[in-house]
Amino acid sequence: MNSPPKTRKASPPQKFFSSSSLVSDYYLGSMQQLSGLLMEKEVSFVMYYAPWDSTCIETQEEFEAVARFFLTQVFFAAVNCWWPDGECRQKLQPDSYPVLIVHVRWATDIYYKGPLVRHYMISFLDNVLNPIKTCHHEKEILELQVQHEAVLVSFFDFQASPEPRGYKQFYMASLTALSIDPTRRLGFGIITTKKMALKLKMTSSSTVVLYLWNGTEVYPDKRMDTKNILNWAYNRLQQVHLIKWICPLQSKSRMLSGLIENYPTLVLFTPRNLIRGVSPYYDLLREVVLDYYNCNSSTYITSVVQKLSQRREQAEIDLQLLREDCSLVLEEPHLNKNAKADREVSSSNTSEVRDDRVIQMVSTVQKQKCQCLKVALSYSDIDFPNTQFSGDLYENFTGFVCQTNITLKVIALDAVQFHTFPEHLGINIMEEKHQTAVLILDMKKETHYLLKEEIDKKSLMDFIANYTRGLLDRYLRSTIKETRECVMTRDSENVCVHEVTTDTFNRVVMNPNKDVLLLYYAPWCGFCKGTSHIYLTVAKYFSGISGILFARINGDENDLPWEYTVEKYPTLIFFPARRKAESMKFPQSLHLTTTNLLQFILTNAQFTVRWQAAAVMCNKKCVTQNFLHSLAEIKHHYIQQRLILKQINLVQHKLYEMKLRTDGKKRKHSLETIQQFQILEDYLKYLVLNLRNKRKAIINTINLQDLLRKRLGSTLIEDTYKDLNKKTYLFLKIRFTRKQRKKKRRRRRR
């Protein structure tokens, strides 16, 4: 009887975080002690991990950096939720790792579902600590609208009651929203004064108003319910949103394809700095898009656009001042490169100024601002678009969408976090100015258009307007590869195949002097790898032959004009010299073999390539026979040329005589004479054309002889001429004897 396999018990787990870490690590999976701490702390951030998971290992450093940032405000803990004997594994049983949850005492638990990087998590926790903003006047509500896509505002009279009816539900809604909206698309604000509420037409307490880009809407249900408020607000936001940040999940999802597959979409790739709360290029695009959709010339939308412009200008000034201040407090002069140049004073004065500034600025608030700036700049620099552009703005752009039948969606992606998306479209976002790019994707037409000019308000308006009018050129993506020019000789062991990209296609493939056999392939294509040896074998046959190139192109990463695009891989297309428009595709009915491919090339190649191929593939006997044949052929061509020249002279003389006869008679030519004259002119043209073709044939034969001479060598050529003289003598002797025999037969018959 077979015994069951013996298994060894797993070794006890080790600490995932170091002992000196600010994160309390419950590596044995115990939950009892942690539950008590969660009830004591106001806000706690817990990471449930598996020590073997690669994502958890990558998140470890980021989570610890967030713990250092919120050192005194948030309690951080980590629990090993994979250890089988642990309490966490038995209770939670997560499907994937890590699981990040914020526990707010006496409120709710908030799952974090955003990117696992410190900058996003810091912004998320900041929204947890400050979920609602108190608005004392209309400007603050407008400021919230500028910061978020939409704002949910409610009035609560705290003078009548310390906890007004509905406030708890509204507060819970602001926290619960972070589980589905970790980057805070929907902002939350409250009004606490009756005067402000009456001005905004909020007649009763707990009235909820949703501020959208095109107006306001009132929550229809009088009962304050957290779930119902969020469902209503996000449904309305989804229906009327103009531009939004997209944050695809770490796993596979159809989020992006679902947004861009039905309508043409304008996509902005730019760094998203959530800690500073400002993304200049995103704000600039919002200005343009709001103006684009302002069909009724609404003053409300115009005020939002003006506020966006003012906010961006003020943010640039504030950032410059904060850089200068923080360069002193944090002693990091690199935050402001021009700080030293602007403060070149004597050493004694500098020390006094530094002491005075430090005494005034060293405070908790100032240090926190500088710390935020340091973390924000470690993610990406904050660059602002150019506000001084040449030319006037596009006329009649306000409400331009209502003048066309094209609906243009607008989305934005973080260029730092999701840089692979533009790279897949052929855009190296890290080399773009300010790591920012704008393009329009049209999935139905399978095209995309890139804004190549410097991004400012004018160029964005022109880009959108030109797209709606069909004036943009399709952007062709191209891989960036450093390839060396390869020259293959007959004695070389390596095969030379040129790697073609979109940028080099015209230079290599469309070279009018060379035949080109182009192989379309893709890295994931198994058939391409299976047939590559046939392609390389044929390329080896043509090594050392000038006039033909073998090339390949990665069709999965390089876009070509539609007339050069293929539908499947591998595909072979032959581009003949001087006849590129007559390119031929390798027939699908033929099997791709070495013989078939050779025949396909030789059938379509130019004459010089055929001769060279024949010379290369022929043995000495074959070369000798072809050389002898070329001598006879060129002699025949010269004889034909002399005959054509004689005929041309005769026709020209005849035309000259007819012209003299007709010019001497001062009367109209007869119909018969005109027809004869026309026939002779047509015949002369025919003879001239034949003469040109015959001269081309002579030149080609001479070139062939030169090629064959190189293969034969000087000694073999002399032997060949001797053999030729012998053969000529024998040929003439045989011919003479045949003539003599014919004469004798005729005599006998007589």
Side-chain angles (χ1 to χ4, degrees):
M1 186 174 180
N2 295 329
S3 58
K6 295 181 180 181
T7 57
R8 187 181 66 179
K9 190 175 181 180
S11 303
Q14 304 294 325
K15 278 194 171 186
F16 192 63
F17 288 86
S18 63
S19 302
S20 59
S21 174
L22 298 173
V23 181
S24 300
D25 190 1
Y26 297 88
Y27 61 96
L28 294 176
S30 58
M31 296 285 291
Q32 187 175 1
Q33 184 181 357
L34 178 62
S35 300
L37 289 172
L38 296 180
M39 295 300 295
E40 294 177 6
K41 307 294 183 180
E42 287 291 337
V43 179
S44 306
F45 198 14
V46 183
M47 172 182 172
Y48 299 91
Y49 67 89
W52 49 266
D53 183 70
S54 61
T55 308
C56 294
I57 296 172
E58 292 175 0
T59 310
Q60 176 186 5
E61 183 180 352
E62 301 295 315
F63 192 74
E64 196 159 3
V66 178
R68 289 194 298 269
F69 190 87
F70 293 98
L71 180 60
T72 59
Q73 296 172 285
V74 181
F75 170 69
F76 287 83
V79 184
N80 185 349
C81 220
W82 174 79
W83 177 243
D85 298 336
E87 186 181 357
C88 179
R89 176 71 176 272
Q90 297 171 4
K91 284 186 177 182
L92 294 182
Q93 298 181 352
D95 297 330
S96 60
Y97 299 96
V99 178
L100 298 174
I101 303 176
V102 174
H103 301 271
V104 182
R105 190 174 63 165
W106 314 121
T108 184
D109 292 342
I110 309 167
Y111 283 79
Y112 176 70
K113 299 177 182 178
L116 301 175
V117 292
R118 66 188 71 178
H119 308 87
Y120 278 80
M121 288 190 280
I122 288 173
S123 175
F124 172 76
L125 282 178
D126 187 58
N127 287 323
V128 171
L129 296 173
N130 305 285
I132 299 174
K133 179 176 177 59
T134 304
C135 301
H136 300 287
H137 44 76
E138 291 183 76
K139 289 183 179 180
E140 294 183 349
I141 296 178
L142 188 60
E143 181 68 27
L144 279 176
Q145 286 182 265
V146 170
Q147 296 176 9
H148 308 279
E149 294 178 34
V151 181
L152 206 59
V153 180
S154 183
F155 166 57
F156 297 103
D157 189 1
F158 286 95
Q159 294 180 355
S161 172
E163 188 175 338
R165 182 176 62 87
Y167 175 73
K168 184 177 180 181
Q169 289 79 2
F170 191 79
Y171 175 73
M172 290 293 293
S174 66
L175 291 176
T176 308
L178 291 169
S179 292
I180 57 176
D181 180 19
T183 56
R184 193 57 103 188
R185 293 176 58 202
L186 179 65
F188 289 80
I190 60 172
I191 297 170
T192 57
T193 60
K194 289 184 178 181
K195 183 179 179 181
M196 181 69 177
L198 292 173
K199 192 174 182 180
L200 297 175
K201 298 181 181 180
M202 294 183 179
T203 55
S204 61
S205 181
S206 71
T207 302
V208 179
V209 179
L210 179 63
Y211 285 81
L212 299 167
W213 69 272
N214 57 351
T216 59
E217 295 187 18
V218 181
Y219 179 57
D221 196 349
K222 293 183 179 180
R223 294 175 299 173
M224 293 285 286
D225 182 77
T226 299
K227 186 176 180 180
N228 292 339
I229 290 174
L230 291 179
N231 289 337
W232 170 76
Y234 279 102
N235 285 336
R236 294 300 303 141
L237 177 58
Q238 186 65 24
Q239 293 174 10
V240 302
H241 81 276
L242 289 183
I243 176 173
K244 66 176 180 178
W245 286 100
I246 299 299
C247 191
L249 301 175
Q250 301 297 322
S251 57
K252 292 182 179 179
S253 70
R254 287 183 52 84
M255 176 188 290
L256 193 59
S257 61
L259 290 169
I260 66 176
E261 62 185 4
N262 296 324
Y263 298 97
T265 306
L266 187 146
V267 185
L268 169 68
F269 295 101
T270 189
R272 186 181 188 183
N273 211 311
L274 287 167
I275 296 178
R276 284 292 301 167
V278 59
S279 296
Y281 282 96
Y282 176 77
D283 291 342
L284 176 64
L285 184 59
R286 281 187 70 187
E287 294 177 36
V288 175
V289 172
L290 284 171
D291 200 18
Y292 178 67
Y293 279 92
N294 189 9
C295 295
N296 300 323
S297 299
S298 170
T299 55
Y300 175 77
I301 298 176
T302 304
S303 64
V304 176
V305 172
Q306 291 176 352
K307 184 64 179 177
L308 280 167
S309 179
Q310 294 172 4
R311 177 175 179 264
R312 190 177 68 254
E313 293 173 0
Q314 187 61 41
E316 186 173 7
I317 297 172
D318 293 343
L319 179 63
Q320 184 177 359
L321 294 175
L322 188 60
R323 283 174 182 264
E324 295 176 0
D325 294 341
C326 291
S327 65
L328 293 176
V329 173
L330 298 178
E331 294 184 355
E332 294 184 359
H334 65 274
L335 289 175
N336 181 19
K337 297 180 181 179
N338 298 323
K340 291 183 179 179
D342 296 338
R343 295 171 182 172
E344 288 183 353
V345 294
S346 62
S347 59
S348 59
N349 293 336
T350 303
S351 61
E352 293 176 4
V353 172
R354 182 180 294 271
D355 292 339
D356 294 338
R357 294 285 297 276
V358 169
I359 291 172
Q360 296 174 7
M361 293 171 52
V362 173
S363 63
T364 305
V365 176
Q366 188 65 29
K367 283 185 176 180
Q368 189 174 3
K369 285 183 179 180
C370 294
Q371 186 182 5
C372 289
L373 178 63
K374 182 179 179 181
V375 176
L377 295 180
S378 67
Y379 184 69
S380 68
D381 203 355
I382 303 174
D383 299 298
F384 291 82
N386 184 19
T387 57
Q388 297 178 354
F389 43 81
S390 59
D392 299 328
L393 293 176
Y394 193 90
E395 294 182 0
N396 302 324
F397 188 80
T398 302
F400 191 75
V401 68
C402 300
Q403 305 173 24
T404 62
N405 294 324
I406 298 177
T407 301
L408 189 65
K409 285 189 174 182
V410 186
I411 60 175
L413 280 90
D414 188 350
V416 178
Q417 188 65 22
F418 306 107
H419 59 87
T420 55
F421 286 87
E423 288 175 359
H424 185 69
L425 295 171
I427 304 169
N428 190 351
I429 197 66
M430 295 303 173
E431 293 185 0
E432 295 290 331
K433 184 178 180 181
H434 300 163
Q435 299 180 23
T436 301
V438 176
L439 67 155
I440 294 177
L441 300 176
D442 195 337
M443 300 305 293
K444 290 185 177 180
K445 296 181 180 179
E446 296 183 359
T447 57
H448 57 280
Y449 310 92
L450 178 67
L451 176 58
K452 298 180 180 179
E453 292 81 13
E454 183 179 358
I455 301 174
D456 52 38
K457 193 168 185 176
K458 181 180 183 302
S459 62
L460 282 173
M461 287 181 173
D462 293 340
F463 185 59
I464 294 173
N466 290 334
Y467 170 75
T468 57
R469 294 182 174 182
L471 302 177
L472 296 180
D473 294 329
R474 173 175 170 241
Y475 175 71
L476 302 177
R477 57 180 178 158
S478 176
T479 54
I480 302 173
K481 290 187 176 181
E482 295 183 1
T483 56
R484 293 180 298 176
E485 292 292 334
C486 56
V487 178
M488 188 168 58
T489 60
R490 186 66 186 167
D491 300 330
S492 175
E493 296 181 358
N494 298 324
V495 180
C496 176
V497 176
H498 295 259
E499 186 71 28
V500 179
T501 64
T502 304
D503 297 332
T504 61
F505 180 82
N506 288 330
R507 178 172 58 84
V508 177
V509 179
M510 305 309 289
N511 186 346
N513 300 321
K514 290 185 180 292
D515 294 329
V516 179
L517 182 65
L518 183 63
L519 170 65
Y520 292 81
Y521 77 98
W524 46 263
C525 172
F527 291 102
C528 300
K529 297 177 181 178
T531 58
S532 60
H533 68 285
I534 298 173
Y535 185 77
L536 295 175
T537 302
V538 175
K540 182 66 177 175
Y541 278 128
F542 287 88
S543 59
I545 297 178
S546 60
I548 187 169
L549 282 178
F550 287 80
R552 68 172 191 168
I553 185 170
N554 185 350
D556 198 42
E557 297 179 357
N558 294 274
D559 290 333
L560 294 176
W562 294 122
E563 59 268 25
Y564 304 120
T565 303
V566 298
E567 296 180 353
K568 67 176 187 177
Y569 307 111
T571 296
L572 284 164
I573 297 181
F574 187 84
F575 295 86
R578 291 177 290 278
R579 295 181 293 118
K580 298 298 180 178
E582 302 176 13
S583 58
M584 282 73 67
K585 181 181 176 183
F586 185 81
Q588 297 182 2
S589 57
L590 290 178
H591 293 290
L592 185 58
T593 61
T594 304
T595 305
N596 289 339
L597 187 55
L598 274 171
Q599 184 178 2
F600 172 71
I601 295 173
L602 293 174
T603 302
N604 300 291
Q606 55 184 324
F607 291 114
T608 55
V609 173
R610 295 184 202 174
W611 294 337
Q612 293 180 74
V616 168
M617 297 178 187
C618 281
N619 54 21
K620 291 184 179 179
K621 183 178 179 181
C622 173
V623 173
T624 304
Q625 290 176 351
N626 280 283
F627 182 72
L628 294 174
H629 178 72
S630 67
L631 292 174
E633 185 178 0
I634 197 169
K635 184 178 180 181
H636 175 72
H637 286 324
Y638 278 125
I639 294 172
Q640 293 291 326
Q641 183 182 4
R642 284 196 295 270
L643 291 175
I644 294 173
L645 286 171
K646 287 181 179 180
Q647 290 178 349
I648 290 174
N649 291 331
L650 289 173
V651 173
Q652 286 178 340
H653 184 68
K654 184 69 175 176
L655 286 171
Y656 181 73
E657 289 180 349
M658 289 180 65
K659 191 174 181 181
L660 288 176
R661 287 199 304 267
T662 55
D663 289 345
K665 300 176 181 179
K666 297 183 179 179
R667 59 183 179 83
K668 293 184 178 179
H669 308 320
S670 64
L671 181 61
E672 183 180 357
T673 305
I674 294 173
Q675 289 179 348
Q676 290 179 358
F677 197 83
Q678 185 65 38
I679 291 171
L680 288 174
E681 282 188 338
D682 293 340
Y683 184 56
L684 181 62
K685 291 179 181 179
Y686 170 75
L687 291 175
V688 171
L689 182 63
N690 281 349
L691 181 63
R692 289 176 181 173
N693 293 333
K694 189 59 64 177
R695 286 175 176 173
K696 287 182 181 179
I698 292 172
I699 293 172
N700 291 335
T701 308
I702 292 172
N703 292 334
L704 177 60
Q705 285 183 349
D706 293 339
L707 181 65
L708 294 172
R709 282 193 183 95
K710 292 179 181 178
R711 285 294 310 275
L712 288 171
S714 58
T715 55
L716 289 175
I717 290 175
E718 293 177 0
D719 296 339
T720 304
Y721 276 117
K722 290 179 182 178
D723 294 338
L724 178 62
N725 294 330
K726 290 180 182 178
K727 289 179 180 180
T728 305
Y729 173 75
L730 291 173
F731 173 75
L732 293 174
K733 186 177 181 180
I734 292 170
R735 189 176 179 183
F736 177 76
T737 54
R738 284 178 180 176
K739 286 183 178 180
Q740 293 296 326
R741 288 174 184 174
K742 285 181 180 179
K743 287 181 180 180
K744 288 180 181 180
R745 287 173 187 171
R746 289 174 185 171
R747 289 173 184 174
R748 289 174 185 175
R749 288 175 185 174
R750 292 175 183 175

